[in-house]
Amino acid sequence: MSLTASIGQPISRLEGNLKVTGAAKYSGDYNVAGLLYGHVINSTITKGKIAQISTVKAKALPGVIQVFTHENRPSLAWFNQMYADMDAPPGSPFRPLYDGEIRYNGQPIGLVVAETFELARYAATLVEVLYENETFSTNLEENVADAHTPALGLATMLKPPPPKPTGDFETAFAESFAQVTADYSHGTEHHNPLELFATTTIYEGDGKLTIYDKTQGTVNSQLYVGNVFGLKYKDVRVISPFVGGAFGSGLRPQYQLFMSVMASLELKRSVRVTLDRSQMFTFGHRPPTLQSTRFGADKDGKITAMNHSAIAETSRFEDYTEVVVNWSHMLYPAPNTLMEYKLVNLDVYSPLDMRSPGGSTGLHAIESTMDELAYKLNIDPLQLRLINYSDRDESLDRPYSSKELKQCFLQGAEKFGWANRNPEPGSMRNGNKLIGHGMATGIWEANHLPAKAEMIITKEGKLKVNSAVTDIGTGTMTIMAQIAADEFGLSVEDVVFSYGDSKKPFAPIQGGSFTTSTVGSAIKAAGKALRKKLLKKAGLMDNSAFRGVPISEVIFDNGYIILKNDPEVSVSLRDIILANKGKEIKTNNLSVPNVFKLKKYSRAAHSAVFVEVEVDQELGVVNVTRALTVVAAGRIINPKTARSQILGGMVWSISKALREETIVDHGLGKYMNQNLGEYHIPVHADIHDLDVIFVEENDTIINELGTKGVGEIGLVGMPPAIANAIYHATGKRINQFPIHFDSLL
Amino acid sequence: MNNFTYSKASTVQDAVNRVQQGPEAKFVAGGTNLIDLMKYHVITTDALIDVNHVEGYHAIEARGEGGIRLGAFMTNAKTAYHPIIEQQYPLLSRAILAGASAQIRNMATNGGNLLQRTRCYYFYDVNTPCNKREPGSGCSAIGGYNRIMAILGASESCIAVFPSDMCVALAALEAKVNISGPHGDRSLAFTDFHRLPGNTPDIDNNLSHGEIITSIDLPSKGFSDNYSYLKLRDRNSYAFALVSVATALELEDGIVRESRIALGGVAHKPWRSAEGEAFLQGKEATKENFTRVAEIILTGAAGYQYNSFKIELAKRAIVRNCMMALNPETQLPGAQPSR
Ligand SMILES: Cc1cc2nc3c(=O)[nH]c(=O)nc-3n(C[C@H](O)[C@H](O)[C@H](O)COP(=O)(O)OP(=O)(O)OC[C@H]3O[C@@H](n4cnc5c(N)ncnc54)[C@H](O)[C@@H]3O)c2cc1C
Ligand code: SF4
């Protein structure tokens, strides 16, 4: 009996039960005898020096083991590039406890290690610090004059700088029939995954460490620890089986990892360091960004000129960049373009990729400008997108590997009822509520990196797959098991996918929506090799009917190899293992994207988003009453986990457009709402009717699986669709996120 | 957190005696505010006296002279869902349910609600100047990020607002606060309970150290025919009011016989305006008259850099909420604006 393929099935997360019953262990949950607890002390000033730091009172408390500061830290790697992790932007990475300089508010300046967490936390309050203050600046708006072109570096590979200008923008814009000029402003946001950052370092002796770390890249943490502390990579094992959300915050090793390992090595004990919620505001954030756009079109709506400029914040030590201004020309084939992206160095920590980095910022400006242009031209906003539709990426002058965006528009408009919309702003109402319908386009690049996977047919004839990749709560484990199962015609129950361990075959950091394509392709490569090996072993068995049979003549199904043209002839995987003297059979394969073929194409997932809002006419209160996201992202491995990704992005879109902001007091140079009571993310009462459609998109170029990834595409198109719907409801263009109800009074 | 002792009081007298042991001794009820403040080192204590097991004052009782008595140690949730409150004092029920989250309301007590501290960001951050936390250190909010701050009754030393929803309804209903202390028992009218900041923003209210709230009295008039609570905030639940309004009207043939309008989120205490309420008396219950009342109530309001919007918002909220009070069934869950 043939099993139905796992790919395409809406299988529930395999680890779901462990998570909802509390059985899943996170990095702060691993206990060993004699474990010590560290609590980090953070700077209370924004810039200056530590003139004096006294730990006497803290150390005097019984149960306090040690207090580490820049004065007594162990000697560390001196070369600052040794601190550069796989995701480090150009610059010199922050080095915790390196010296007495204060570079930003909340900088870690010490670690108290004690026998209990509570004691460490209390002792930390007894450490006395005297600072010398220096003047600082954290305000992007006040410092735009200092904007500079970002330094280039390794990261430029995945984050290309703006494309070169084409044509003659200024002239074409000046001569265009319809023109729109707009400014956009976004503030700081912090990732705030529910799980707090924690590292438990188990001191194994003989210079060996086992580290449970909250991370999106076990290998990244392993390299960092090896480099900074001068350890052999093979002596450092980083494990991260469950990650309670990360959204990019775990792309770089964070300071709790450094602190935990440092204390463990110095004290020769196992040490856990857990950050609290307010400390989640002391590393990495989505940078505030100021944008301006100028779009010009002819009277038929064809865009003739596009200018998109952005100025973003970064720290004084690294040039963190995002892809903000590259998207419009990927979407719209205007002949005259000018894209600019600059940075301002401020006294803050380096920004850090946060779900849909750059895209969720840039698409807001692009897609709200498109909406404004549609009104200027008196053309339906959806029609304007169709008029400017292209199957090619004009920014790089090459075709898309696949692009079913038009289907997204058409299916979405139909399901949403876009045709019933009266385009006149403020024309639709229900009692006190103005009703608005808005739409926007989303785009996100589909990348693919090299990775390895190991595949094993165990003694029991089951399939085991190993990869260092993490599962940041997206369902990675489940879909990798599905992909692997189909390689052998097995059911998902017969597959064990082991992951989240730096000892397992290499996988890059998990982010950018490239994990499914990257690790999935490695699994496919390993599957192919292992099928060949099994067939060869089958051919070596006594009187084997499979001797010399080419791989194309057999199928793997439900634990058997079967001859294609004589299904009566089969051999079970268990029998092959028996004949192999009971030993498991395995392969370990590297999969490298076919760069030569791929570079002829642009590769991206697309979306069309339709939103209905209700705005109280007198009081400004906004509710997103209905939203639909239609996605073209290649093949969908698991419609259930994929849908959850898009729904999560849609909830986040409501957050981004209407709720979320880190409040900064620039006089103090610090973030003021460092808790989830005041850092507003949506509550249930903010979420109404959300719907997702995946359109068919067959991509034979992108990779063997035909996948594009769905991690970010849900959060790029909807924020502008909300802003556009608010305009439709009220006639007011609010280009600053989040849109608070008081801006609509 | 500092080390402190913890003990359970068995009676009101026992609680009062225990809290005399030192100036830093504190009662703890639901702990939903106090424990946070202790964790942020805003409040330090050497002795916590748990009042959750005190005999009596955990229920609602009818009072001889009419009206009811709310036990101070009863939870906000039990109070809001109590049939007497739902039927006779629905304004109070609505206001309580507009506050915090279900989990917090299950822990929070009626006494504790009156004594919760402001949500000013700077008050919670011990590394910033704040006159309320540290008298004389200055006010960071006046020149800082003051979007959530006061527009009425503020002073040069503090512009914080009192964040409670429940108390806005209690102010409108003209409740009375019953107190026991080392020198015996006393009562305070609700409007006399909380204070404006003046030069002593560190003192939120007129309860002295050593005194305990035992109950809250509600007069018999519950305004259950024409009432409404409206709360405007940055998300639909689990956020403090930027502006909230409690309206209670007594109508006769479309004429206002009596009106109570209390504002939350705008001042250091629930805000009422005698002039405004007097104006409405004997007038027709129309949008025009409500608009005029709103102007009167907001007379003298002043905004700071980021919160001036509250002035116009409060006016519009008053008008809408008075309209909602004419048809209380137009109220929506979460005290959202009517459709
Ligand atoms: C995240 C969050 C959101 C919230 N949102 C809202 C909101 O939207 N609206 C709203 O109204 N409230 C809100 N609250 C506040 C909540 O209502 C209060 O924290 C709660 O009512 C306090 O009651 P408690 O019993 O927990 O007090 P505790 O925290 O136990 O005590 C508070 C203070 O009162 C003193 N005390 C307690 N009982 C007595 C007594 N009987 N006599 C004398 N002193 C006493 C204590 O010593 C302490 O100083 C929120 C709270 C949180 C944490
Ligand atoms: S407004 Fe009041 S509570 Fe806030 S900082 Fe000023 S003094 Fe402190």
Side-chain angles (χ1 to χ4, degrees):
Chain A
M1 186 210 59
S2 227
L3 288 170
T4 45
S6 286
I7 291 181
Q9 298 301 314
I11 295 172
S12 295
R13 282 169 214 220
L14 301 174
E15 82 287 15
N17 194 47
L18 290 178
K19 282 184 172 167
V20 298
T21 56
K25 275 186 162 189
Y26 294 83
S27 53
D29 295 336
Y30 287 85
N31 294 320
V32 288
L35 182 67
L36 297 176
Y37 299 80
H39 189 81
V40 177
I41 307 164
N42 301 80
S43 156
T44 58
I45 69 160
T46 303
K47 192 173 185 176
K49 280 184 189 59
I50 299 174
Q52 205 185 319
I53 184 160
S54 168
T55 61
V56 180
K57 282 188 195 155
K59 276 199 234 166
L61 284 181
V64 171
I65 308 290
Q66 180 58 288
V67 182
F68 293 98
T69 69
H70 67 287
E71 291 177 347
N72 68 344
R73 62 154 173 82
S75 69
L76 298 162
W78 60 272
F79 178 49
N80 61 22
Q81 284 314 317
M82 295 304 268
Y83 288 76
D85 62 280
M86 288 157 68
D87 193 36
S92 47
F94 173 70
R95 293 172 288 176
L97 304 192
Y98 199 78
D99 54 26
E101 294 286 325
I102 302 299
R103 294 166 177 82
Y104 69 97
N105 209 307
Q107 172 180 323
I109 57 169
L111 177 76
V112 179
V113 183
E115 279 164 4
T116 66
F117 169 75
E118 289 76 11
L119 186 60
R121 184 174 59 176
Y122 172 57
T125 66
L126 302 182
V127 173
E128 293 157 329
V129 191
L130 263 179
Y131 298 98
E132 277 169 24
N133 277 287
E134 287 168 26
T135 54
F136 56 81
S137 185
T138 57
N139 193 329
L140 176 63
E141 255 165 78
E142 284 175 6
N143 290 278
V144 288
D146 294 339
H148 69 275
T149 304
L152 298 180
L154 258 186
T156 316
M157 196 176 71
L158 283 177
K159 290 180 172 178
K164 300 241 149 41
T166 56
D168 174 359
F169 168 77
E170 295 295 348
T171 311
F173 181 69
E175 291 171 357
S176 55
F177 170 79
Q179 297 165 343
V180 170
T181 302
D183 294 318
Y184 294 83
S185 142
H186 289 212
T188 307
E189 293 171 13
H190 279 86
H191 306 69
N192 276 313
L194 198 54
E195 182 205 6
L196 297 166
F197 270 68
T199 303
T200 307
T201 302
I202 311 291
Y203 190 78
E204 308 276 12
D206 295 337
K208 287 192 169 50
L209 300 177
T210 302
I211 303 168
Y212 296 93
D213 185 34
K214 176 179 175 106
T215 177
Q216 291 173 255
T218 53
V219 180
N220 196 23
S221 293
Q222 177 195 28
L223 294 178
Y224 178 83
V225 168
N227 292 346
V228 170
F229 296 97
L231 302 175
K232 296 195 184 96
Y233 296 143
K234 70 171 173 48
D235 290 340
V236 179
R237 181 176 183 192
V238 177
I239 302 178
S240 191
F242 296 104
V243 179
F247 315 119
S249 59
L251 286 172
R252 301 188 68 183
Q254 302 304 357
Y255 65 77
Q256 91 290 345
L257 171 66
F258 173 96
M259 294 287 187
S260 161
V261 171
M262 175 198 67
S264 175
L265 289 170
E266 277 302 285
L267 302 171
K268 303 190 169 29
R269 301 273 300 266
S270 298
V271 179
R272 170 180 306 150
V273 177
T274 307
L275 302 187
D276 65 21
R277 181 57 64 187
S278 65
Q279 288 170 329
M280 304 285 273
F281 290 75
T282 59
F283 61 87
H285 52 271
R286 196 193 295 279
T289 305
L290 303 171
Q291 303 176 72
S292 61
T293 54
R294 286 182 291 163
F295 284 16
D298 66 20
K299 63 177 185 321
D300 301 324
K302 272 265 179 223
I303 301 171
T304 52
M306 284 192 300
N307 166 218
H308 186 183
S309 305
I311 298 179
E313 169 223 70
T314 191
S315 64
R316 298 228 185 257
F317 39 93
E318 287 169 319
D319 265 7
Y320 167 85
T321 60
E322 292 182 336
V323 174
V324 176
V325 299
N326 304 16
W327 307 101
S328 60
H329 206 206
M330 291 175 72
L331 283 169
Y332 308 117
N336 305 286
T337 60
L338 177 61
M339 309 299 168
E340 300 155 301
Y341 180 76
K342 290 195 166 153
L343 295 177
V344 175
N345 298 112
L346 293 169
D347 297 298
V348 295
Y349 193 74
S350 297
L352 176 62
D353 282 351
M354 181 161 160
R355 201 169 187 189
S356 318
S360 65
T361 310
L363 265 299
H364 170 210
I366 296 162
E367 288 301 291
S368 283
T369 305
M370 285 297 281
D371 200 64
E372 221 177 316
L373 191 60
Y375 274 91
K376 269 260 160 81
L377 288 158
N378 205 11
I379 293 176
D380 176 82
L382 174 57
Q383 195 55 36
L384 184 66
R385 268 84 174 180
L386 292 173
I387 291 169
N388 290 283
Y389 195 86
S390 172
D391 287 320
R392 293 177 57 79
D393 170 3
E394 291 300 339
S395 72
L396 292 169
D397 189 24
R398 60 191 189 187
Y400 279 101
S401 61
S402 62
K403 179 173 172 179
E404 295 294 348
L405 176 59
K406 196 170 274 173
Q407 271 306 311
C408 297
F409 286 139
L410 299 178
Q411 290 186 30
E414 170 74 27
K415 175 112 195 240
F416 184 82
W418 184 255
N420 304 330
R421 170 184 186 263
N422 177 345
E424 189 61 37
S427 62
M428 290 163 43
R429 61 154 60 235
N430 176 6
N432 294 313
K433 311 293 177 190
L434 296 167
I435 294 173
H437 288 175
M439 59 87 52
T441 308
I443 178 169
W444 188 257
E445 272 201 291
N447 280 312
H448 178 185
L449 302 177
K452 276 182 162 184
E454 181 179 53
M455 265 195 172
I456 304 165
I457 297 294
T458 65
K459 289 175 206 161
E460 296 76 32
K462 305 257 179 196
L463 179 61
K464 212 171 144 184
V465 187
N466 290 322
S467 162
V469 74
T470 47
D471 181 342
I472 51 177
T474 48
T476 306
M477 169 209 199
T478 308
I479 65 170
M480 292 308 154
Q482 288 177 264
I483 294 168
D486 280 5
E487 288 298 301
F488 293 89
L490 291 170
S491 81
V492 171
E493 289 79 56
D494 288 332
V495 181
V496 177
F497 181 64
S498 302
Y499 62 101
D501 182 346
S502 64
K503 275 246 163 8
K504 298 193 188 299
F506 172 82
I509 43 181
Q510 185 176 17
S513 296
F514 51 65
T515 298
T516 303
S517 300
T518 298
V519 180
S521 295
I523 288 175
K524 284 204 72 98
K528 192 169 174 184
L530 186 55
R531 284 199 305 274
K532 272 197 184 147
K533 204 162 176 180
L534 288 166
L535 179 62
K536 199 164 159 208
K537 295 266 185 196
L540 295 175
M541 291 166 71
D542 293 344
N543 305 323
S544 175
F546 291 90
R547 189 159 303 161
V549 172
I551 193 87
S552 56
E553 293 304 311
V554 301
I555 50 173
F556 283 71
D557 189 26
N558 210 2
Y560 290 85
I561 307 181
I562 302 168
L563 271 188
K564 250 187 201 164
N565 46 23
D566 188 358
E568 297 294 297
V569 180
S570 68
V571 56
S572 77
L573 300 182
R574 293 186 67 150
D575 285 342
I576 300 175
I577 294 292
L578 273 180
N580 196 39
K581 302 192 185 101
K583 283 187 299 190
E584 59 184 29
I585 300 172
K586 65 176 161 189
T587 56
N588 189 344
N589 283 75
L590 176 70
S591 137
V592 184
N594 183 346
V595 185
F596 201 67
K597 174 167 122 191
L598 290 178
K599 77 174 185 204
K600 293 184 200 142
Y601 298 91
S602 281
R603 291 151 282 136
H606 292 88
S607 69
V609 189
F610 299 84
V611 165
E612 178 183 88
V613 297
E614 265 185 15
V615 183
D616 192 284
Q617 190 174 15
E618 287 159 354
L619 301 170
V621 174
V622 181
N623 271 294
V624 175
T625 43
R626 202 153 66 86
L628 168 66
T629 298
V630 192
V631 180
R635 191 177 191 190
I636 300 303
I637 304 288
N638 180 330
K640 186 169 184 180
T641 55
R643 184 182 152 85
S644 295
Q645 282 301 299
I646 302 301
L647 287 176
M650 292 174 77
V651 170
W652 202 324
S653 298
I654 292 174
S655 191
K656 185 169 183 62
L658 302 175
R659 299 286 180 257
E660 188 168 350
E661 71 179 322
T662 303
I663 292 166
V664 194
D665 183 313
H666 292 299
L668 299 166
K670 77 186 298 188
Y671 305 128
M672 294 313 302
N673 55 340
Q674 304 185 9
N675 59 71
L676 290 180
E678 300 294 348
Y679 186 89
H680 291 152
I681 57 170
V683 291
H684 283 96
D686 291 324
I687 305 303
H688 303 283
D689 182 6
L690 302 182
D691 200 3
V692 182
I693 297 175
F694 292 104
V695 302
E696 284 269 339
E697 188 175 66
N698 184 16
D699 194 322
T700 53
I701 291 160
I702 194 148
N703 57 46
E704 262 197 84
L705 281 161
T707 53
K708 289 181 174 176
V710 293
E712 342 268 335
I713 188 68
L715 173 51
V716 283
M718 188 159 150
I722 294 171
N724 297 344
I726 290 174
Y727 172 76
H728 181 228
T730 64
K732 290 186 183 134
R733 286 256 173 231
I734 314 289
N735 290 343
Q736 178 174 3
F737 277 171
I739 300 175
H740 285 307
F741 67 95
D742 45 84
S743 56
L744 293 162
L745 288 185
Chain B
M1 237 190 249
N2 281 57
N3 279 337
F4 55 84
T5 62
Y6 167 85
S7 66
K8 288 182 188 171
S10 54
T11 60
V12 166
Q13 195 52 51
D14 182 29
V16 170
N17 291 343
R18 282 172 193 267
V19 87
Q20 308 302 320
Q21 56 186 277
E24 300 251 286
K26 292 251 169 355
F27 298 126
V28 62
T32 59
N33 192 208
L34 183 67
I35 305 295
D36 276 358
L37 289 162
M38 289 168 69
K39 286 193 203 159
Y40 286 122
H41 306 285
V42 175
I43 285 180
T44 47
T45 179
D46 45 13
L48 266 196
I49 297 128
D50 186 340
V51 295
N52 288 296
H53 309 276
V54 163
E55 210 183 305
Y57 309 104
H58 290 270
I60 290 178
E61 288 166 25
R63 282 189 301 137
E65 64 271 38
I68 57 157
R69 174 162 291 177
L70 297 176
F73 311 123
M74 194 174 173
T75 66
N76 283 178
K78 282 210 176 108
T79 307
Y81 293 120
H82 196 288
I84 292 180
I85 303 300
E86 283 183 330
Q87 284 151 31
Q88 294 173 35
Y89 303 92
L91 178 63
L92 179 60
S93 178
R94 289 272 179 174
I96 293 174
L97 295 178
S101 65
Q103 291 89 336
I104 290 171
R105 295 192 299 266
N106 284 338
M107 292 300 292
T109 62
N110 295 336
N113 197 305
L114 268 58
L115 297 168
Q116 61 177 297
R117 309 298 307 269
T118 181
R119 291 284 158 174
C120 171
Y121 309 125
Y122 303 95
F123 176 70
Y124 281 77
D125 182 344
V126 293
N127 298 305
T128 64
C130 168
N131 287 326
K132 185 182 279 298
R133 180 169 27 76
E134 212 181 311
S137 63
C139 170
S140 299
I142 289 177
Y145 190 73
N146 44 38
R147 181 167 174 267
I148 63 174
M149 302 297 166
I151 49 168
L152 286 163
S155 74
E156 275 166 24
S157 25
C158 178
I159 60 171
V161 304
F162 178 58
S164 168
D165 290 295
M166 179 184 189
C167 292
V168 183
L170 291 176
L173 293 170
E174 300 195 340
K176 214 170 65 186
V177 184
N178 298 319
I179 298 163
S180 292
H183 311 295
D185 300 346
R186 64 183 182 123
S187 294
L188 280 173
F190 205 80
T191 38
D192 297 334
F193 186 79
H194 294 103
R195 297 159 56 108
L196 289 178
N199 295 325
T200 52
D202 52 312
I203 309 174
D204 286 353
N205 53 58
N206 290 317
L207 195 73
S208 309
H209 181 72
E211 289 188 314
I212 188 168
I213 299 174
T214 55
S215 61
I216 298 153
D217 286 349
L218 292 177
S220 50
K221 226 175 194 178
F223 298 91
S224 57
D225 288 337
N226 290 102
Y227 71 93
S228 180
Y229 190 72
L230 174 63
K231 183 174 180 183
L232 299 168
R233 44 176 157 177
D234 281 332
R235 59 181 168 189
N236 286 346
S237 163
Y238 200 46
F240 291 93
L242 286 161
V243 169
S244 70
V245 193
T247 302
L249 300 174
E250 193 179 53
L251 301 173
E252 208 180 294
D253 300 330
I255 303 294
V256 178
R257 287 283 154 245
E258 187 173 0
S259 73
R260 310 271 180 82
I261 300 174
L263 298 181
V266 295
H268 204 257
K269 60 188 286 190
W271 192 264
R272 277 183 65 184
S273 154
E275 298 79 8
E277 292 174 12
F279 167 83
L280 213 49
Q281 189 150 3
K283 301 256 173 18
E284 272 183 88
T286 59
K287 195 165 179 178
E288 292 64 45
N289 283 329
F290 296 146
T291 307
R292 292 184 63 190
V293 167
E295 290 296 335
I296 297 171
I297 296 176
L298 271 295
T299 310
Y304 299 84
Q305 189 179 355
Y306 298 98
N307 74 344
S308 299
F309 73 91
K310 279 191 177 186
I311 300 173
E312 179 61 23
L313 182 66
K315 291 179 188 170
R316 295 187 191 188
I318 290 168
V319 177
R320 173 67 66 81
N321 199 47
C322 287
M323 295 303 291
M324 287 164 68
L326 299 180
N327 293 298
E329 65 284 357
T330 58
Q331 289 179 84
L332 295 173
Q336 292 231 50
S338 58
R339 300 199 67 84

